[in-house]
Amino acid sequence: MGHLNDLASLGQAVWLDFVDRKFLAEGGLQKLVDEDALTGVTSNPSIFEKAMGHGDAYDAELAAYDAKNSDAPTMDRYEHLAILDIQAAADTLKPVYDRLDAKDGYVSLEVSPYLANDTDGTIAEARKLWAAVDRPNVMIKIPGTPAGVPAIAATIDAGINVNVTLLFSQSAYQAVAEAYVEGLEKRAERGDPIDRIASVASFFVSRIDSEIDDKIDAGVGGDAAKALKGKVAIANAKLAYAWYEEFITSARWQALAAKGAQPQRLLWASTGTKNPDYPDTLYLDTLIGKDTVNTVPPKTLDAFRDHGTAAATLGQDVAGARHILSEAERLGLDLDGVTDTLVEEGVASFSKAFDDLLGAIAAKHPAHA
């Protein structure tokens, strides 16, 4: 055990948290699909900023676009480049999508982070990107902010696959799970099909430990809190999954399942280990369970292929996970406050990456700056 291929037999999909023009063109994604049973790809503004803002891999395509669209704003130029990458990744994954009958094989493209607090703007952008990519196996990423929740319901209602991003708290996750169901119910009421609509709820992991561990190192909770280092994020994820397992047995969900609805899978994001004292496969080894996805950066993917452990760990010791979170609350570590802050910081971080990305593209053709 310990290879990426072993995870599929345990019900977990592995997605790559990376996309890049050169990587796609040289067959890097196809190799992972063929050799490691990879079934999806995620992107975000930070990934595109690294891909497009540095080096010259996109320059020829950008010049060709500019020659035909001399007055195009920088945002349109970015979307043109991003959509080509997403289409290429989607085409690579289309055989996976077909083989698994629309249950996997997806690539995700994020709405502008500037719209994180704009419900109507998010809905309009999701529709625009969905139409522009024009692939059945794309997911539009929408943040699970308060403004994002109704946008998720409306986007699912429109028949668009959704990857809900920036989830840190169990309450935020539950809200978006119910938004997914609401969107499906509206379609079902009209008699529209719901069997090939897919969604994932991207629950972020490592950043929670980074924040909680910093508090513990600063003395919050005293010596007793030191036993919780590196454990709170995994406990939080385990309880989110326990809620999911209970929710899919509910009469509300079963009514949709009878019509062919796919469950909204929990997706573990931010799974690269940030603390060098922790195993580099920590957030893969401990979060393996049925109907879940782990989206993994390339370095962590390589680490798990080499020395990860494949076992059904996600459902183990849920009582212990509850105890860890109750201790965190008792000791004043304020997980709710941490998760609220992380959502705000996540939106700000993606917005900053988007600023840098658009600036880099504008600089390649100063007339558009």
Side-chain angles (χ1 to χ4, degrees), residues 307-328:
H307 54 264
T309 303
T313 49
L314 187 55
Q316 294 177 359
D317 197 15
V318 175
R322 292 188 196 282
H323 176 71
I324 286 168
L325 293 197
S326 67
E327 279 292 278

Side-chain angles (χ1 to χ4, degrees), residues 4 13-21 23-24 28-29 32-33 36-51 58 85-86 89 93 104 106-110 139 141 163-166 168 200 202-207 267-274 283-284 293-302 305 349-350:
L4 291 157
V14 177
W15 290 6
L16 181 68
D17 195 24
F18 175 78
V19 67
D20 174 89
R21 176 70 49 91
F23 172 77
L24 293 169
L29 177 59
L32 292 175
V33 171
D36 293 313
L38 191 91
T39 55
V41 169
T42 49
S43 67
N44 62 45
S46 297
I47 288 171
F48 274 127
E49 192 276 326
K50 289 183 179 70
Y58 293 80
D85 279 2
I86 296 300
L93 289 163
D104 214 330
Y106 291 92
V107 55
S108 300
L109 176 62
E110 191 143 353
M139 285 186 175
K141 288 179 82 172
N163 177 339
V164 184
T165 188
L166 287 179
F168 294 91
V200 294
S202 296
F203 204 84
F204 284 54
V205 187
S206 66
R207 296 182 196 179
L267 176 150
W268 312 121
S270 183
T271 54
T273 306
K274 292 180 169 53
Y283 300 114
L284 277 76
V293 182
N294 202 318
T295 188
V296 189
K299 185 178 177 182
T300 309
L301 197 76
D302 292 342
R305 185 193 298 110
S349 174
F350 282 166

Side-chain angles (χ1 to χ4, degrees), residues 183-206:
L184 292 177
E185 287 171 341
K186 287 183 177 177
R187 288 184 62 81
E189 286 167 11
R190 293 195 304 271
D192 290 342
I194 60 173
D195 58 316
R196 296 180 75 81
I197 296 173
S199 181
V200 294
S202 296
F203 204 84
F204 284 54
V205 187
S206 66

Side-chain angles (χ1 to χ4, degrees), residues 123 268 277 292 322:
I123 295 168
W268 312 121
D277 294 335
T292 61
R322 292 188 196 282

Side-chain angles (χ1 to χ4, degrees), residues 8 12 18 78 98 106 198 273 359 364:
Q12 183 169 73
F18 175 78
Y78 151 72
D98 292 338
Y106 291 92
T273 306
K364 289 178 184 287

